Amino acid sequence: MSGISGLLGIDIGGTKVAVRVEGAGAEPYSAGFRWTPGADVGADITALADCLAVVRRHWPGPLRAAGVAMPATLDPEGRVTAWPNRPAWAGLGLAAELRGMLPGTAVAVADDGDLAALAEARAAGLTDVLYVGVGTGIGGGSVLGGELCPGPARGSFELGHVVVDRAGARCDCGRRGCVQSRASGPAILRRAAELRDAPVTYAELCEAWQRRLSWAVVAVDEACAALATAIVSAAELLHPEAVIVGGGFPSGLPGLTSLVSRHATRLSRPGHPAPPHQDARLGPLSSLDGALLLAHATCTSAEALEAVVRG
């Protein structure tokens, strides 16, 4: 196995990191960890470096390219300009840090929602999709004609920051009424706690949802209505073949996608039906699979450039 080169996918989330390396002729290798609550950015970077060191030891062949799915906003040089879930990362030169952890590996970083959309479109065999990921935040991505919209050079598809209620709750970004402030996993848990008048864990919400307890049903329903509002607005501009709903949070809430679809149908106007909604085929692995697609594209581009240089 020592001579097998690999492609690395890294999905950096608000609560955890998932990593997978693949290569022809070898079994894929997966790793990951959860961020330590309250840790500073130095500790976070050390934990990430330790995880990647384990991957490199397990995969002794070269890692040709790494694709990184990231929810934070980055500048063109790969420096974090904003990440509400981990504000201490602002100013961190993430791309440079990763290149230091992975010497000799081509590294590319892109928005996690965009990469999830690309992976889900490919899995569904569709060329025009709108992707919505419900997790620590609300991820969004659009694929039109098989390509990301608006495209990496122009920024990410920030569906989570579409305003659905100008007088609504304050979002992590500082603005009021973003769909993320109403429909992200933490927002749903906060609303459920208000209705129950007691703290609510994710496991408790999932159990209560399946038992159809009113506080859980109302909290999830309100979130789905907010999601549908953003989806219908985006669909008026994009006209996707399908809306794909994924992320880690819906996995314990069966029927969530159907509920979003029903709310979207109620918001549709004559002659313009809401697009069909479907569950993500890759589930919580959408962004990680997208990161591997980015690694493959990065590797292909690097090899093409090297061939040109060599003449």
Side-chain angles (χ1 to χ4, degrees):
M1 178 175 161
S2 61
I4 297 175
S5 61
L7 296 176
L8 179 65
I10 306 172
D11 180 16
I12 299 178
T15 57
K16 62 183 179 180
V17 174
V19 180
R20 188 164 79 235
V21 57
E22 297 180 352
E27 289 294 320
Y29 175 72
S30 298
F33 64 94
R34 288 186 172 273
W35 299 117
T36 301
D40 61 23
V41 65
D44 286 347
I45 291 302
T46 297
L48 180 58
D50 289 345
C51 177
L52 294 180
V54 170
V55 171
R56 292 180 65 202
R57 286 197 298 270
H58 184 90
W59 195 280
L63 296 173
R64 291 184 294 163
V68 185
M70 181 69 180
T73 303
L74 299 132
D75 67 16
E77 285 72 45
R79 185 175 299 276
V80 177
T81 59
W83 190 7
N85 290 317
R86 305 193 80 75
W89 280 51
L92 175 69
L94 178 62
E97 292 281 356
L98 288 167
R99 292 184 182 104
M101 297 174 197
L102 299 166
T105 301
V107 176
V109 185
D111 180 76
D112 58 345
D114 287 344
L115 292 178
L118 199 61
E120 287 292 345
R122 179 171 175 173
L126 299 173
T127 57
D128 299 279
V129 305
L130 174 62
Y131 171 81
V132 183
V134 184
T136 305
I138 296 294
S142 174
V143 176
L144 297 179
E147 301 291 336
L148 286 174
C149 171
R154 297 183 61 192
S156 55
F157 191 88
E158 295 289 352
L159 187 71
H161 295 292
V162 169
V163 175
V164 295
D165 181 3
R166 290 174 59 194
R170 191 172 298 280
C171 181
D172 292 336
C173 73
R175 188 166 59 194
R176 287 193 178 276
C178 294
V179 66
Q180 182 163 294
S181 71
R182 297 282 304 277
S184 67
I188 296 173
L189 291 177
R190 286 194 299 268
R191 180 60 176 146
E194 290 175 1
L195 294 165
R196 188 189 187 192
D197 198 25
V200 176
T201 66
Y202 177 64
E204 289 172 334
L205 177 71
C206 293
E207 180 184 358
W209 168 255
Q210 298 196 48
R211 292 172 58 195
R212 309 306 293 170
L213 298 185
S214 62
W215 56 266
V217 171
V218 171
V220 174
D221 183 74
E222 290 178 353
C224 288
L227 279 175
T229 302
I231 288 168
V232 168
S233 298
E236 289 280 6
L237 305 175
L238 302 170
H239 305 286
E241 297 174 86
V243 174
I244 299 175
V245 181
F249 204 83
S251 60
L253 300 169
L256 183 144
T257 299
S258 296
L259 182 55
V260 174
S261 180
R262 289 198 294 274
H263 278 291
T265 298
R266 294 188 191 109
L267 289 171
S268 63
R269 58 193 176 94
H272 298 269
H277 290 52
Q278 58 185 252
D279 292 323
R281 284 168 166 75
L282 304 173
L285 298 178
S286 305
S287 294
L288 183 58
D289 277 39
L292 281 162
L293 289 176
L294 179 61
H296 186 273
T298 301
C299 179
T300 302
S301 298
E303 289 175 349
L305 178 61
E306 185 177 351
V308 170
V309 171
R310 288 178 176 176

